[in-house]
Amino acid sequence: MPAILILGFDLELTRVLLVAVLGGLLGILMMIPLRRPHIVEDHGVLKFPEGTACAAVLKAGASPADRAAASPSAQAEMQAAVAAGLGQAPGAKQIFTGFALGLVYKSLNVAFKGWKDIPEKVFGAPFKGGSVSAEISPELLGVGYIIGPYISGIMCAGGALSYLLLIPLIKFFGDPLPAPLAPGHMPISEMGPDDVRYAYVLYIGAGAVAAGGLISLAEALPAIWRGLKAGLKDIRPGKTPADPTGGEVPRTDRDLSMKFVGIGIVVLMTIISLAQPLHMNLLGALLIVIFGFLFVTVSSRLTGEIGSTSNPTSGMTVATLLFTCLIFLLVGWVGSTYYVTALSVGAIVCIASANGGTTSQDLKTGFLIGSTPRLQQYSILVGALCSAVILGPILLRLNDAATVYVPVHEVAPAGLHTDTTALAKHEALTGPQQRDDAKTYLAWQKDGDEGGPAGKYLVNEKGDAVWFVDPGINGTHRTRPDGSVVRKFSAPKATLISYIIKGILDHKLPWALVILGVMITVTLQMSFVPALAFAVGVYLPLFVDHPNPCRRPDSLAGRSQAPADAGVRQDGSGDLQCRERQEPRRAARLGLYRRRRDCGHHHRDHAGCTQRLRQGGDELV
């Protein structure tokens, strides 16, 4: 939402509340039919590291009665661990030892400034612009330990492509240019690696994430369709939910009905279409539902693969804006009139995808400990509604507290004048500067940089601008007229989002960079490399992407530890189980091929093979 300030509009309370509430509820509703395919069927393939870790903590303190009420998969995991001589799940001692070590490390690092948060090395000639950095934090270390070195390494490779290839290439070819190269706003010779990333590489990363998301959705469509078909059975009136074999669905597999989901989505679409602060219409509401489902699916799968910490929500938001603004362009909706409409679509989908990912973690925890999904989903809906209501006032308060009213002669020495007949809103200064000027002015939103920067101005009755309103979020003026220093809040992604909206609707977007990102993803997919994880690495900073060489324990990854005599087949390759842990998708395909070869059945016709494939674990090999 801070992007709306850059686009020249007010951060209104009703607009913020509507976006937060509608996006939060939409993300949870979209996740309900996705629970079965992502949480249940892909158990062992999608790890959901944070959700799995939470389940391990809860299991450590569980009583015998709680363990008896756990889901069948959790009970099977505990029994297999005991049979393998591994004992029970990690106990309180191990968990709190890890917690204490992380707390001590973080305290020495952040609170006492014992060492640099993100050490970085920037190379000079002949490799000018190249850099490496790493954030050695306990939370990222834990996530990397759970998801394993394979996916972590792929993400790191994407970051290496950005920081060790794309940025140095841009510096090499751009340094001789005397003037800025669009979409950058300063000469490349004056840019550091992060400046180049924000100006150019983020567009490449956004295109890569968008293409990777579409590919991931296409791969997941069969499982999603199975989940939708199972959920649609709940719509029939007077019927008790039943499983495919005709029996009653167990308590641990009962979701909110698809009727509830359908009615909820229709109600949300109606509210979105009629909400005046969103500047929305029916097409915009339809785009929100379509892109919401797309990126909630992508977010859920990404969260299952790499965790919430590395989930590129902003990348999916950028992809949503790309598609939305393209559609607006096709139907002729261009210019500043549709800025807020496009931003509202992107903001609601952004919150929906973020909530979809975190909801997946909650549902994974519930699946592992044997909770009732329907009750979880009720609780998550209530929690999302409460947090959204609280978020709006906090965001506005933060912006107002750091807002600076700059005398116009400092930003426009020649002065600015406008016609006041078109201005209706009156506004007074707020905060400490109100003591020095209690007058009421007319609010003017200036477009373009002619004569002075674009943004909000307070003008008198004659039409002369008196104050330039520099917002607290992404503002540039850090000193008030009385000399007091103000701490601004930075939202760099908001700047990128505003550039994309203006770029497409005003025909100025650097499409070459976006298409380059798409081609990177296509190339990786053709090479049988998980393209979405690589695309996330291209988009995220390198210090978030560095791989964790530690091997994750299968008990934490939601995988069963099968005893030695559990019927595990070997094919002569002694490291196959190790490769399966590091390369779950590739091993799943390999195991499926072998089962088809050995049993002579197609996997869709062989229920036993399909079920074992979905369960994951060492049975694959």
Side-chain angles (χ1 to χ4, degrees), residues 52-62 67 88-103 556:
T52 303
C54 289
V57 173
L58 293 173
K59 289 179 186 178
R67 294 179 184 274
Q88 298 178 346
K93 182 178 179 180
Q94 294 96 319
I95 291 173
F96 284 102
T97 298
F99 174 81
L101 289 174
L103 179 63
L556 280 179

Side-chain angles (χ1 to χ4, degrees), residues 169-253:
L169 274 176
I170 293 172
K171 288 287 290 181
F172 178 79
F173 290 107
D175 270 355
L177 300 177
L181 176 66
H185 296 277
M186 60 188 297
I188 294 178
S189 59
E190 300 176 9
M191 291 183 176
D194 288 335
D195 298 322
V196 175
R197 175 178 174 268
Y198 279 115
Y200 304 101
V201 177
L202 277 183
Y203 291 99
I204 300 175
V209 170
L214 290 174
I215 293 172
S216 178
L217 178 66
E219 291 178 340
L221 278 178
I224 293 171
W225 176 242
R226 288 195 301 270
L228 287 173
K229 285 197 300 183
L232 288 172
K233 295 178 182 178
D234 299 342
I235 297 180
R236 295 176 297 175
K239 297 288 185 181
T240 302
D243 63 16
T245 62
E248 185 176 344
V249 171
R251 173 189 60 81
T252 56
D253 199 31

